[in-house]
Amino acid sequence: METNVITIDTIANFFLSKKELTPKKIQKLVYYAYAWFIALNNQDPDDIQYSLFDEEPEAWVHGPVFPSLYSKYKDYYWHEVEKIQNVEIDNDDLLSFLNNVWEIFGKYSADELEYMTHQEEPWKKARGGLSPIEPSCKKIAKKDIFIYYNKLSTNEN
């Protein structure tokens, strides 16, 4: 699946075109899109060639976080970010993929999504032995993301 000029903001805006969302929910939806894209579009955990966008998530206390999105939406706190009217994504495969992510994960609350990511190996591994409330900006490894979600995808078939 080719992704020319797709940015993290494009992906966040796609989800915001669906409805108003809290910053935490935006983070988790973008994370799941990022993670599943890696799992479904690469072949080798030691050679991750395709990512949805360049920024890597960090293993923060409340789950995976993209620092640029945090900076962009932090002033909303727990309030919802307003819905966006239209987002141009002219790649049908990417649009279908993002709609699938929305259908699967969009129904969950931000807290439910946070809880889900806390049960998953990539976030837990990046957190290492940190306490649940200890800050961290350690990156969640693409290799760990690929291994975990690719295994889930093959178990579902």
Side-chain angles (χ1 to χ4, degrees):
M1 186 183 314
E2 282 294 313
T3 57
N4 305 334
V5 298
I6 297 299
T7 67
I8 193 168
D9 290 323
T10 306
I11 304 307
N13 288 343
F14 170 83
F15 293 121
L16 281 168
S17 75
K18 300 294 188 182
K19 66 182 281 190
E20 294 181 344
L21 301 168
T22 63
K24 183 161 58 167
K25 187 160 181 175
I26 295 167
Q27 287 281 1
K28 302 312 168 245
L29 290 170
V30 171
Y31 171 74
Y32 277 121
Y34 174 87
W36 281 102
F37 188 92
I38 287 173
L40 298 173
N41 289 283
N42 289 281
Q43 302 298 318
D44 181 354
D46 294 314
D47 186 25
I48 304 298
Q49 296 181 15
Y50 305 105
S51 292
L52 197 48
F53 47 80
D54 289 336
E55 188 173 351
E56 295 178 67
E58 297 179 356
W60 288 21
V61 169
H62 293 286
V65 169
F66 295 93
S68 70
L69 287 182
Y70 176 80
S71 294
K72 183 173 183 175
Y73 298 117
K74 68 182 177 184
D75 292 339
Y76 285 89
Y77 301 98
W78 60 90
H79 301 291
E80 292 180 329
V81 178
E82 53 280 343
K83 183 178 177 185
I84 291 174
Q85 290 306 317
N86 240 348
V87 176
E88 288 290 322
I89 297 179
D90 51 5
N91 180 314
D92 289 341
D93 290 337
L94 178 59
L95 198 54
S96 175
F97 169 77
L98 292 173
N99 277 313
N100 285 337
V101 171
W102 174 253
E103 286 177 32
I104 294 166
F105 297 102
K107 61 188 168 206
Y108 296 106
S109 72
D111 290 338
E112 289 171 322
L113 292 168
E114 175 184 342
Y115 177 81
M116 291 162 59
T117 62
H118 282 206
Q119 309 313 304
E120 298 171 350
E121 284 304 310
W123 179 83
K124 291 189 330 189
K125 188 171 180 183
R127 296 277 306 161
L130 297 175
S131 81
I133 59 169
E134 195 171 346
S136 169
C137 56
K138 185 167 183 204
K139 303 275 189 219
I140 300 173
K142 288 181 183 178
K143 179 177 181 173
D144 294 337
I145 288 171
F146 174 84
I147 290 168
Y148 181 80
Y149 293 99
N150 186 269
K151 184 176 180 185
L152 283 181
S153 73
T154 56
N155 288 343
E156 291 175 358
N157 295 331

